[in-house]
Amino acid sequence: MGTKDTTQKRLEDFEDIFADISNVLLYDGEDVIKENELETVTAKDTYTVEQQIHEVERDVAKRWRQHSLHISLIGLENQTDPDYKMPLRVICYDGASYRAQLNAHESKKTYPVITLVLYMGTEKHWTAPKQLTDCFKYDERLSKFISNYKINVVELAWLSDEQIMKFKTEFRNFVELLRDTRLGRKPQYSPIQLKHVHELLQLMRVMSGNDEYEQLLNQTTNNLKQNKLKGDEITMKKIVSLGFDEARAEGKAAGRTEGMAEGKAEGRAQEKFATAKRMLALGKSLQDIMLITDLPMSKIQELQAEVKPA
């Protein structure tokens, strides 16, 4: 299992995050599924063929008990790249869950299975099949005899701003990062209080390839210890703001070292240029540099021509 999958699961497995995602995608943001109604179940479903036990594994799976009347199973399948066999995978996952219900002789209750494929790509839309019949070629005359199976693909980076605002947890900040990465702009974070700051920043670091999120996590931990930041003040905006202040302080030191002090306004600009050049020399990405220095991409690209990578 890759690092990206493992990191994603750590955040999504929290009941409040899982309920938030499910409410936005299944109920258009209505607070229907409560976190205390969710029950974590094994992500592995088993089935038996010719006395051999087989397993299929899904990313996150929870049961939802609603008023003790029925049970729904909602699965989240993370994807960062289109998987052209995803309908086959999903039908195996869901089929194993239904088979488990069929084999549960002690219970007569059955319940629907819903799998949501969360596509986290930012460079292109989902281009892989979204239904079983698109996975293979066949004689069209047989189409009425072939049972089709459609999957639910959610392109997170392409959700509308209105949809994104319906998330009530820090998962909104993660979707904002995907959206802004797709648009090629500096992330614009909503002031959502973070409960799972470590898992969120780790996920952002892995998905964006931006090590600055690791630094922000370390800075946040230190700021909490030094009482510079209170628990109820932890938002992405606050974290990034404090991180920028520290980076700017480093920039000022670099500016003084290089003798750039030609007026207050010019000094601030030169400090940003020095910080950008230092990050370029270290091989940092242009997106990372734009996040820290607040310089326009055109200026960073201009500075890039003057710097040789370390």
Side-chain angles (χ1 to χ4, degrees):
M1 186 177 303
T3 302
K4 286 187 178 181
D5 272 349
T6 303
T7 307
Q8 290 162 15
K9 291 182 187 182
R10 292 184 63 184
L11 180 65
E12 293 165 4
D13 203 37
F14 289 107
E15 273 72 17
D16 59 327
I17 302 293
F18 192 97
D20 190 31
I21 294 171
S22 301
N23 281 326
V24 172
L25 301 183
L26 299 180
Y27 290 102
D28 196 30
E30 187 179 349
D31 191 19
V32 176
I33 301 175
K34 312 296 183 183
E35 60 180 286
N36 59 5
E37 297 174 346
L38 292 172
E39 177 185 73
T40 299
V41 297
T42 177
K44 292 183 178 180
D45 292 312
T46 62
Y47 61 97
T48 304
V49 176
E50 296 180 352
Q51 299 183 340
Q52 296 284 332
I53 296 178
H54 301 265
E55 289 185 344
V56 290
E57 183 175 358
R58 60 180 66 215
D59 282 358
V60 182
K62 295 182 185 292
R63 289 193 180 93
W64 171 40
R65 294 191 298 268
Q66 184 184 23
H67 307 302
S68 300
L69 295 178
H70 68 273
I71 301 175
S72 294
L73 181 67
I74 304 170
L76 297 177
E77 177 65 31
N78 295 322
Q79 282 292 304
T80 53
D81 297 301
D83 184 340
Y84 286 83
K85 293 185 177 180
M86 182 55 72
L88 296 174
R89 291 178 58 187
V90 171
I91 197 172
C92 287
Y93 297 157
D94 294 353
S97 295
Y98 286 124
R99 176 181 285 273
Q101 296 177 51
L102 185 63
N103 293 338
H105 302 296
E106 70 279 1
S107 174
K108 295 182 179 180
K109 290 185 178 180
T110 57
Y111 49 87
V113 177
I114 299 174
T115 296
L116 300 175
V117 179
L118 301 185
Y119 176 55
M120 301 183 181
T122 59
E123 296 181 0
K124 60 183 179 180
H125 284 284
W126 178 275
T127 55
K130 293 183 179 180
Q131 58 183 7
L132 184 62
T133 52
D134 289 338
C135 293
F136 35 73
K137 295 181 179 180
Y138 56 92
D139 188 334
E140 291 293 334
R141 291 171 294 183
L142 301 176
S143 59
K144 64 180 180 179
F145 300 105
I146 299 175
S147 298
N148 201 3
Y149 200 83
K150 296 182 180 180
I151 63 175
N152 305 300
V153 178
V154 181
E155 298 180 315
L156 293 177
W158 278 269
L159 292 179
S160 68
D161 291 345
E162 181 182 0
Q163 289 173 303
I164 293 174
M165 290 301 293
K166 292 178 180 179
F167 290 104
K168 298 180 175 67
T169 66
E170 54 260 54
F171 195 76
R172 183 198 298 179
N173 289 156
F174 174 62
V175 179
E176 288 170 336
L177 172 65
L178 296 179
R179 174 201 62 194
D180 294 335
T181 299
R182 174 179 67 84
L183 295 174
R185 70 187 188 192
K186 180 180 176 181
Q188 302 174 24
Y189 298 116
S190 299
I192 295 286
Q193 183 177 342
L194 308 184
K195 290 177 59 179
H196 314 292
V197 59
H198 181 273
E199 289 78 12
L200 175 64
L201 291 176
Q202 286 286 9
L203 176 56
M204 287 179 163
R205 179 186 65 80
V206 172
M207 294 304 300
S208 67
N210 183 351
D211 290 336
E212 297 299 328
Y213 288 107
E214 184 76 28
Q215 296 178 26
L216 288 175
L217 176 58
N218 294 333
Q219 290 169 359
T220 300
T221 301
N222 292 332
N223 287 331
L224 285 169
K225 290 180 179 178
Q226 299 171 16
N227 293 321
K228 293 182 180 179
L229 188 65
K230 297 180 181 179
D232 57 358
E233 295 177 342
I234 302 179
T235 66
M236 278 304 300
K237 279 193 171 183
K238 185 71 172 179
I239 289 174
V240 171
S241 176
L242 288 174
F244 175 75
D245 287 343
E246 294 186 19
R248 184 167 56 187
E250 292 180 6
K252 288 181 179 179
R256 286 192 297 270
T257 301
E258 298 177 16
M260 295 181 289
E262 302 177 2
K264 194 172 181 180
E266 179 64 16
R268 284 196 296 267
Q270 292 299 329
E271 288 159 8
K272 289 186 178 183
F273 298 161
T275 300
K277 287 181 178 181
R278 186 154 52 87
M279 294 179 71
L280 285 166
L282 292 173
K284 298 293 184 179
S285 70
L286 302 188
Q287 187 73 21
D288 296 351
I289 298 171
M290 185 172 65
L291 173 69
I292 294 298
T293 64
D294 209 26
L295 288 171
M297 183 62 72
S298 58
K299 183 61 182 179
I300 296 173
Q301 291 172 335
E302 179 183 327
L303 293 172
Q304 186 179 33
E306 304 174 11
V307 176
K308 292 183 179 180

